[in-house]
């Protein structure tokens, strides 16, 4: 049995979708209904049915569990299979599980290292923003005219950044990091 068939025979679409995106919005005789993980929508149009697979009525796309994981994580076919094998603990006789485990451990360590560096940048930048904001707050009473206008503008932007950093969720930190060039202009 090849790996693709092993996954399809072992994993139910409902189990895979629940594992990766959580509980459905509703459930009826057709299956589980989700809001699409691929776009914003008000009404759930993403149907998961264990017998028929995964169907997105918003785009008319149909997925098996492998296609779904490929698109959800923006990864290739082989990586999707490896991810499913790892996440669901599937093994086969002809798969070199030791090499796969080593590969997946290495990938997970790389991911953790990237997250660690991102969090370090995020935390150090947040501290620098707060320090810069406090500096402007101390300087403003002593400034006049044009310098005062610039100071208020900088203070308002730094307060805005402080709010963003305080309320940032884990997945939003990457978007904030992408704007680091703009942020760096306001902190020294």
């Amino acid at each position: 049995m090849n790996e693709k068939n092993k996954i399809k025979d072992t994993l139910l679409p409902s189990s895979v979708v629940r594992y990766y995106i959580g509980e459905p919005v509703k459930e009826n005789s057709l299956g589980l209904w989700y809001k699409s993980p691929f776009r914003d929508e008000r009404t759930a149009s993403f149907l998961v049915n264990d017998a028929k697979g995964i169907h997105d009525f918003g785009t008319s796309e149909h997925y098996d569990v492998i296609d779904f994981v490929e698109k959800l994580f923006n990864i290739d076919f082989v990586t999707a299979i490896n991810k499913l094998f790892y996440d669901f603990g599937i093994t086969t006789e002809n798969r070199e599980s030791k090499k796969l485990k080593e590969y997946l451990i290495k990938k997970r360590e790389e991911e953790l290292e990237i997250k660690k560096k991102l969090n370090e940048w995020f935390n150090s930048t947040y501290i620098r923003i707060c320090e810069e904001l406090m500096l402007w707050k101390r300087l403003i009473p002593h400034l006049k005219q044009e310098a005062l206008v610039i100071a208020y503008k900088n203070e308002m932007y730094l307060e805005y950044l402080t709010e963003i950093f305080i309320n940032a969720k884990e997945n939003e930190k990457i978007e904030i990091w992408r704007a680091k060039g703009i942020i760096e202009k306001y902190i020294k």
Side-chain angles (χ1 to χ4, degrees):
M1 178 183 295
N2 70 26
E3 293 174 342
K4 183 176 180 177
N5 290 338
K6 175 77 173 181
I7 286 174
K8 287 181 177 183
D9 291 345
T10 305
L11 297 177
L12 294 172
S14 61
S15 299
V16 172
V17 174
R18 265 197 173 110
Y19 182 82
Y20 291 121
I21 64 174
E23 291 301 313
V25 173
K26 66 180 179 177
E27 184 174 351
N28 62 22
S29 61
L30 296 174
L32 307 176
W33 290 90
Y34 290 84
K35 289 184 180 177
S36 175
F38 306 123
R39 66 181 176 283
D40 289 332
E41 62 182 4
R42 289 185 191 173
T43 306
S45 67
F46 197 80
L47 176 63
V48 180
N49 180 298
D50 288 334
K52 296 179 182 176
I54 304 164
H55 188 78
D56 188 341
F57 284 92
T59 60
S60 297
E61 291 180 88
H62 194 77
Y63 307 96
D64 62 23
V65 292
I66 299 167
D67 300 330
F68 171 73
V69 170
E70 280 182 71
K71 185 165 182 179
L72 185 66
F73 294 101
N74 193 25
I75 55 179
D76 62 33
F77 177 79
V78 173
T79 307
I81 286 180
N82 286 334
K83 182 166 186 50
L84 286 163
F85 268 82
Y86 181 77
D87 289 348
F88 289 90
I90 302 169
T91 58
T92 62
E93 305 79 39
N94 62 355
R95 180 177 266 281
E96 294 182 38
S97 56
K98 184 177 178 183
K99 283 185 180 179
L100 173 64
K101 240 182 207 177
E102 289 170 0
Y103 168 79
L104 293 172
I105 287 169
K106 181 182 173 192
K107 285 293 182 191
R108 188 158 296 217
E109 286 171 356
E110 288 172 2
E111 265 182 42
L112 290 173
E113 186 61 30
I114 290 168
K115 280 184 179 180
K116 179 182 170 189
K117 287 181 181 179
L118 177 64
N119 280 325
E120 286 172 0
W121 173 85
F122 190 85
N123 292 334
S124 68
T125 303
Y126 175 66
I127 290 168
R128 290 169 52 207
I129 288 170
C130 291
E131 290 170 351
E132 191 71 18
L133 180 59
M134 294 309 296
L135 175 67
W136 282 112
K137 285 188 180 290
R138 285 193 302 269
L139 286 176
I140 284 176
H142 307 289
L143 299 175
K144 294 183 180 10
Q145 296 170 342
E146 289 180 23
L148 189 59
V149 171
I150 293 169
Y152 274 126
K153 182 179 175 185
N154 285 339
E155 180 193 29
M156 285 184 348
Y157 186 71
L158 290 166
E159 285 178 351
Y160 167 73
L161 286 177
T162 303
E163 284 293 316
I164 288 174
F165 272 69
I166 288 171
N167 296 316
K169 294 180 176 76
E170 199 61 38
N171 59 339
E172 295 170 326
K173 289 181 180 181
I174 294 169
E175 294 303 317
I176 294 169
W177 177 80
R178 287 184 179 142
K180 71 180 181 179
I182 297 167
I183 294 168
E184 296 288 332
K185 290 178 187 177
Y186 287 88
I187 53 178
K188 294 171 176 59

